[in-house]
């Protein structure tokens, strides 16, 4: 409630400042370069088909990239958890990989994989992989060893201990990792599109920027941020249904 | 009352250590079928470790542990059920699914496992709480669910690690009476670790006193027999009171001496 109120107030002030030309004067800009929220809403409505098409392109990149990261991250975390050798030999590299800026890799991915969807998926997956892997690994290693012993006295096999003890223990951790990665995923898709693409919200933002279509640019940004928020909300919803014991 | 006098539990000259920390040294203890053995001793003397050794969760560095004549750790694991110091109920399962874990792990279907556990729920005053999550249960109920989980595993030997230490005095007294009844209804060989001499004398047939670390059994006390079924009657009985006095004296002397 409170954040919504705060946001509304901000938008109201912005509307006032932009519609009276105050904001444009302040920055020394032409009026059309500083759109008011109402103008952005108008642009949103007028360009709804174009925006929806581009949003769908970007959303698909986000979802596919995230799905790849989810599968790979969980699998990798389990491998590191089960094998001390895998953990020791790859964990430092996983962490080191985070020091490489995604912005720097994106152009290389485009050179390697072309202008299609693949490099975008890869950038999104790279962004999402780390939080998911680290969170899952953290969850798996926070399993109570006493509970593991207890399970063994209750006839549990290794697989049953994994399924009935390790997996539920790790789930809240996994969801934390997913939430972090899902809000960064749209930024990854944006970078991927900026380096080379012919559609998507990132592509459109570049074009609007070049054509000084600021109202439509803001509309695209608003949609991108809405995508992030909605995905986060969905994850939180799923988490509530799955992790019922917290 | 006891027809089967076969030795169920044999611990002979057992030593154990965690790295450089010597926890147990030439510890010897034996238990007959359906005998409840109390284990008291200063904290950190290796009582929990001994229970894990009995259950086959750890291996001694010397000596022998045999359960029903079998000393391989997998054999011990198959014959002993542990009730750990913390109840360790899994928060994502309902009370009944926690209790039925051993059945599920043995490949029994969920419905069947629940049905089997449900009969015990009725018998032990947990009816109506089958679907409750552990967080919704009182301390005494959690302990009862944890004990049922141990019992349902159907193993001949129970290792109970300070099962009531975390409860308030009134609940603890209730739970002691409850456990005594449960063991009368379904007798097992049990090793019960406790800090409470009165609890040990009320629940156990025999009480082994352990020394400080490295732990070994330095004295054995026998509990007064026969005991009244209700706890208040039992612990206020003159025979019980004098047995308790004597036990406390022995305990103090032994532990000061060692
Ligand atoms: N997993 C472990 N690794 C190392 N030391 C341990 C471990 N578990 C217990 N200890 C130590 O071994 C000693 C005996 O522990 P424990 O068997 O739990 O004693 P008690 O149950 O009698 O209080 C204690 O000093 C404890 O700190
Ligand atoms: Mg202990």
């Amino acid at each position: 409630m409170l954040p919504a109120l705060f946001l509304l107030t901000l938008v109201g002030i912005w509307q006032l400042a932009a519609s009276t030309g105050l904001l444009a004067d302040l920055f020394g800009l032409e009026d059309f370069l500083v759109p008011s929220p109402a103008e952005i809403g108008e642009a949103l409505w007028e360009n709804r088909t174009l925006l929806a098409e581009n949003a769908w392109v970007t959303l698909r990149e986000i979802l596919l990239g995230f799905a790849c990261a989810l599968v790979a991250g969980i699998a990798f975390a389990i491998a590191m958890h089960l094998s001390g050798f895998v953990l020791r030999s790859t964990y430092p590299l996983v962490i080191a990989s985070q020091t490489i800026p995604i912005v720097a890799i994106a152009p290389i991915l485009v050179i390697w994989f072309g202008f299609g969807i693949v490099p975008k998926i890869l950038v999104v997956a790279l962004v999402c992989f780390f939080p998911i892997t680290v969170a899952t690994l953290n969850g798996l290693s926070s399993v109570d060893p006493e509970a593991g012993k207890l399970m063994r006295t209750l006839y549990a096999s290794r697989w049953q201990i994994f399924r009935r003890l390790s997996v539920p223990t790790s789930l809240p951790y996994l969801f934390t990792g997913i939430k972090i990665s899902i809000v960064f995923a749209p930024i990854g898709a944006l970078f991927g599109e900026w380096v080379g693409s012919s559609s998507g919200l990132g592509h459109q933002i570049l074009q609007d920027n070049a054509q000084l279509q600021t109202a439509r640019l803001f509309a695209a940004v608003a949609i991108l941020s809405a995508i992030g928020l909605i995905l986060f909300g969905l994850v939180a919803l799923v988490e509530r249904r799955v992790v019922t014991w917290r | 009352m006891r027809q089967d006098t076969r030795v169920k539990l044999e611990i002979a000259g057992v030593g154990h250590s965690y790295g450089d920390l010597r926890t147990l040294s030439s510890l010897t203890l034996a238990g007959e079928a359906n005998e409840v053995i109390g284990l008291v001793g200063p904290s950190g003397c290796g009582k929990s470790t001994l229970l894990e050794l009995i259950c086959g969760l750890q291996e001694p560095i010397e000596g022998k542990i045999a359960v029903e004549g079998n000393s391989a750790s997998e054999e011990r694991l198959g014959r002993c059920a542990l009730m750990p110091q913390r109840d360790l109920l899994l928060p994502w399962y309902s009370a009944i699914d926690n209790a039925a874990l051993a059945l599920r792990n043995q490949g029994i279907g969920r419905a069947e496992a629940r049905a089997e556990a449900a009969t015990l729920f009725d018998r032990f005053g947990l009816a109506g709480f089958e679907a409750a999550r552990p967080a919704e249960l009182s301390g005494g109920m959690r302990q009862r669910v944890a004990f049922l989980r141990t019992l349902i595993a159907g193993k001949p030997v129970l290792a109970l690690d300070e099962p009531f230490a975390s409860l308030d005095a009134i609940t603890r007294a209730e739970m002691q009476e409850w456990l005594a009844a449960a063991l009368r209804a379904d007798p097992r060989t049990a090793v019960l670790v406790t800090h409470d001499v009165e609890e040990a004398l009320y629940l156990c047939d025999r009480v082994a006193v352990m020394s400080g670390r490295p732990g070994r059994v330095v004295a054995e006390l026998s509990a007064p027999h026969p005991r009244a079924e209700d706890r208040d009657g039992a612990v206020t009985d003159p025979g019980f009171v004098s047995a308790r006095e004597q036990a406390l004296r022995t305990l103090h002397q032994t532990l000061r001496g060692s």
Side-chain angles (χ1 to χ4, degrees):
Chain A
M1 216 30 225
L2 218 57
L5 224 69
F6 185 61
L7 186 69
L8 227 68
T9 316
L10 275 185
V11 171
I13 293 173
W14 177 7
Q15 175 70 34
L16 224 70
S19 57
T20 55
L22 199 75
L23 215 54
D25 288 347
L26 196 68
F27 296 149
L29 295 169
E30 297 292 332
D31 267 359
F32 77 96
L33 290 178
V34 189
S36 70
E39 285 165 328
I40 296 169
E42 214 176 292
L44 198 70
W45 179 249
E46 278 168 6
N47 299 286
R48 58 187 178 278
T49 326
L50 176 75
L51 284 167
E53 274 168 16
N54 284 326
W56 170 240
V57 170
T58 305
L59 181 63
R60 223 171 43 157
E61 293 162 2
I62 293 172
L63 290 180
L64 288 172
F66 169 76
C68 292
L70 188 65
V71 172
I74 292 176
F76 198 52
I78 291 174
M80 283 198 282
H81 177 69
L82 292 181
S83 156
F85 176 73
V86 175
L87 181 70
R88 280 191 307 276
S89 52
T90 58
Y91 194 59
L93 298 180
V94 171
I95 291 181
S97 76
Q98 285 307 295
T99 60
I100 304 169
I102 295 287
V103 212
I105 311 182
I108 304 172
L109 293 178
V110 172
I111 293 170
W112 287 350
F113 299 102
F115 287 83
I117 195 173
V118 178
K120 284 90 177 175
I121 292 177
L122 281 176
V123 176
V124 173
L126 279 175
V127 171
C128 297
F129 178 73
F130 185 74
I132 291 176
T133 309
V134 172
T136 309
L137 185 64
N138 223 333
L140 287 171
S141 44
S142 65
V143 171
D144 188 340
E146 297 291 318
K149 285 181 184 168
L150 173 73
M151 283 294 273
R152 288 183 61 208
T153 68
L154 299 173
Y155 305 106
S157 62
R158 272 186 73 145
W159 165 243
Q160 285 168 331
I161 292 177
F162 181 74
R163 202 157 67 90
R164 301 201 162 123
L165 179 63
S166 308
V167 169
T169 304
S170 325
L171 272 179
Y173 293 81
L174 172 63
F175 272 107
T176 305
I178 288 178
K179 281 185 191 157
I180 294 172
S181 64
I182 206 78
V183 291
F184 284 121
I187 303 173
L190 206 69
F191 279 148
E193 290 178 4
W194 278 357
V195 180
S197 63
S198 51
S199 60
L201 288 175
H203 169 74
Q204 196 203 308
I205 286 173
L206 282 189
Q207 278 199 322
D208 292 346
N209 198 34
Q211 298 165 9
L212 301 182
Q213 293 248 33
T214 37
R216 201 166 73 182
L217 189 153
F218 269 107
V221 172
I223 291 178
L224 197 68
S225 118
I227 288 178
L229 276 176
I230 290 169
L231 288 177
F232 185 88
L234 284 176
V235 171
L237 218 66
V238 173
E239 181 184 22
R240 270 235 300 266
R241 311 255 359 202
V242 174
V243 186
T244 50
W245 58 92
R246 284 230 158 165
Chain B
M1 205 169 106
R2 294 203 170 77
Q3 268 109 45
D4 187 357
T5 51
R6 224 156 30 100
V7 174
K8 283 268 175 176
L9 180 63
E10 186 191 354
I11 304 168
V14 159
H16 177 271
S17 64
Y18 290 111
D20 288 336
L21 184 77
R22 186 88 174 154
T23 42
L24 302 175
S25 164
S26 29
L27 187 143
T28 297
L29 186 67
E32 293 169 11
N34 297 343
E35 190 176 28
V36 180
I37 303 159
L39 204 59
V40 297
S43 79
C45 74
K47 302 181 294 292
S48 298
T49 304
L50 179 61
L51 292 191
E52 287 192 1
L53 281 162
I54 293 171
C55 290
L57 294 166
Q58 295 201 46
E59 277 304 290
I61 50 171
E62 64 197 18
K64 176 190 171 190
I65 304 177
V67 179
E68 294 186 318
N70 295 278
S71 52
S73 64
E74 284 304 312
E75 299 287 335
R76 295 191 330 256
L77 190 57
R79 287 172 168 79
C80 299
L82 176 70
M83 181 171 173
Q85 216 160 339
R86 293 175 292 141
D87 61 54
L88 293 178
L89 295 177
L90 302 180
W92 41 88
Y93 286 137
S94 62
I96 197 144
D97 286 341
N98 267 290
L101 261 175
L103 303 177
R104 300 282 288 130
N105 287 338
Q106 286 174 290
I108 295 171
R110 177 176 294 156
E112 200 183 326
R114 283 181 179 169
E116 193 173 334
T119 60
L120 283 170
F121 263 55
D122 288 342
R123 188 135 65 85
F124 291 143
L126 286 162
F129 290 92
E130 287 85 354
R133 290 284 167 87
E136 300 163 339
L137 300 175
S138 70
M141 288 177 134
R142 290 172 66 101
Q143 291 300 316
R144 269 181 278 176
V145 174
F147 183 73
L148 287 197
R149 177 185 61 192
T150 313
L151 214 56
I152 284 175
K155 309 222 179 153
V157 175
L158 306 182
L160 312 174
D161 199 351
E162 302 189 29
F164 310 133
S166 62
L167 302 176
D168 61 87
I170 294 171
T171 314
R172 190 183 317 154
E174 279 170 15
M175 289 300 297
Q176 288 166 357
E177 197 168 66
W178 176 84
L179 180 62
L183 285 173
R184 263 197 307 276
D186 186 357
R188 308 277 176 105
T189 305
V191 180
L192 174 90
V193 172
T194 176
H195 270 125
D196 182 344
V197 173
E198 186 173 281
E199 175 174 292
L201 291 178
Y202 171 61
L203 287 170
C204 305
D205 302 304
R206 198 150 54 83
V207 181
V209 181
M210 278 174 75
S211 67
R213 206 173 53 229
R216 66 201 158 79
V217 176
V218 285
E220 287 200 15
L221 315 167
S222 56
H225 276 284
R227 280 159 302 187
E229 290 204 357
D230 75 301
R231 185 181 173 281
D232 288 342
V235 299
T236 49
D237 179 84
F240 188 94
V241 172
S242 71
R244 187 185 60 196
E245 296 301 309
Q246 199 185 338
L248 282 170
R249 240 190 331 272
T250 315
L251 201 62
H252 287 153
Q253 277 164 8
T254 319
L255 294 183
R256 210 176 306 124
S258 71

